[in-house]
Amino acid sequence: TEAMRLNADGSSVFSGSVTSTGSFFKAERSGDSGTYAKIQAVSTGGELIYGRTHASLYENFKIKAANNSSTLVDALTIDTVQNVNIPNGGLMVGATTAPTANLQIKASSAKFRLTDSGITNTSHNTFVAFAGGQNKFCLGVSSETGTSADITIDGANNRVGIGTSSPSHTLEVAGNVKFTNASFGAFISPYGDDTYINMLGSGRIQFRTNGSERMRLNASGSCRWTPDGTTPDMTLTADG
C-alpha cells in the first residue's frame, strides 16, 4: 500500500498520518525558507508557531475554514502584536455547539468577568454577569472571584431588583432612590415604618392628577391646595 508519494515538482502526498520523531514538524513555503509553519512539542504541551525566522518579519497566524460555498475564508487570525480576530463568525465558550451570537458562554454556572487591572481597590475592580438561579441573571461589581448581585433580572416574573436578589415587584430598590435633573434633585427614603420625600434645593413638590396640579408643598413649608387644577382654594402656612 502506497504510504507516501514524492512528485517530480518536489511536492509530497501522504495517504496516512504524518509523525515526527524529533521535537517539531516544520513546513516551509516553496522558494522562501524564511517563511514557515511549525508545530513544536514542549514539556508543558504543544505550540503552534507561524512566521518568519527574523522577528521584524513575523506575519499573522491564520486558520481558514470552508464556508457554505466551499470557499476558504479566515476563521481566526492572530496578528504580530497578539490581537485575535474572528472575522466571519462567533465564539462559543464552554460548549461544542455553534454560537448563536458573536460571543456566547454556555455552561453550568456560567460567568462573565471584566477586570480593570488599573483599579487599585481589588475588591471592586471586576464587572461580573452570572446566573443567580433559575430564570435569574445578575450584574454586579466585585473582586475577580466575587459574584456580587447589585442588579437582578427575574425573567420568570418580569421583575428587576436593585440591591436585592429577590425582587417582589416589577421594580424593587433596597435603599434610597434619588431623582435629579440639571438643577434639582429629590430623595425617596424608607426609614423604619416611615417614608421620607426630600426635595433638594429651592424647588417645590407637586401632586398632580389628570395632568393638573392639585396640591403644592413649597420650599418654605407652606402648602397650597388647588382642587380644580387652576384656582388655589386654600394655602396653609407654617404658622397655621
Side-chain angles (χ1 to χ4, degrees):
T1 302
E2 180 181 0
M4 184 184 76
R5 178 184 302 172
L6 181 61
N7 299 314
D9 61 2
S11 62
S12 301
V13 178
F14 298 89
S15 60
S17 60
V18 179
T19 302
S20 173
T21 58
S23 62
F24 64 87
F25 176 83
K26 181 177 179 181
E28 293 182 351
R29 188 171 67 183
S30 177
D32 186 0
S33 60
T35 300
Y36 61 83
K38 182 171 72 172
I39 300 175
Q40 180 174 349
V42 294
S43 59
T44 56
E47 291 181 350
L48 179 59
I49 305 171
Y50 171 81
R52 294 180 182 269
T53 55
H54 194 281
S56 63
L57 298 177
Y58 265 77
E59 298 174 347
N60 296 341
F61 168 73
K62 292 184 178 182
I63 296 177
K64 291 181 178 286
N67 60 15
N68 293 334
S69 302
S70 298
T71 302
L72 286 176
V73 296
D74 291 346
L76 182 144
T77 300
I78 304 176
D79 67 17
T80 57
V81 291
Q82 293 79 56
N83 293 316
V84 180
N85 184 28
I86 303 176
N88 295 292
L91 175 63
M92 170 67 79
V93 179
T96 57
T97 55
T100 58
N102 296 109
L103 173 62
Q104 184 175 359
I105 302 173
K106 185 178 180 180
S108 178
S109 302
K111 297 179 180 66
F112 171 81
R113 298 184 191 276
L114 178 64
T115 300
D116 188 339
S117 60
I119 297 177
T120 56
N121 185 351
T122 57
S123 297
H124 301 90
N125 66 346
T126 299
F127 168 79
V128 59
F130 62 98
Q134 291 293 325
N135 305 308
K136 287 184 180 181
F137 284 88
C138 303
L139 306 175
V141 176
S142 64
S143 65
E144 287 190 54
T145 59
T147 52
S148 176
D150 299 323
I151 299 176
T152 297
I153 302 172
D154 182 349
N157 299 296
N158 296 319
R159 296 170 180 169
V160 175
I162 301 177
T164 175
S165 59
S166 301
S168 58
H169 293 77
T170 303
L171 174 63
E172 181 175 349
V173 179
N176 299 339
V177 178
K178 181 179 180 180
F179 305 91
T180 60
N181 60 22
S183 302
F184 300 99
F187 281 105
I188 298 179
S189 306
Y191 186 79
D193 295 333
D194 299 328
T195 298
Y196 293 164
I197 301 176
N198 182 18
M199 182 65 190
L200 304 177
S202 59
R204 56 183 178 269
I205 297 176
Q206 293 187 7
F207 297 87
R208 289 174 169 261
T209 61
N210 199 27
S212 298
E213 179 184 339
R214 306 302 180 183
M215 188 171 68
R216 175 187 302 180
L217 182 61
N218 296 309
S220 63
S222 64
C223 179
R224 189 179 77 174
W225 182 38
T226 312
D228 63 359
T230 303
T231 306
D233 182 81
M234 181 188 299
T235 299
L236 301 177
T237 61
D239 58 3

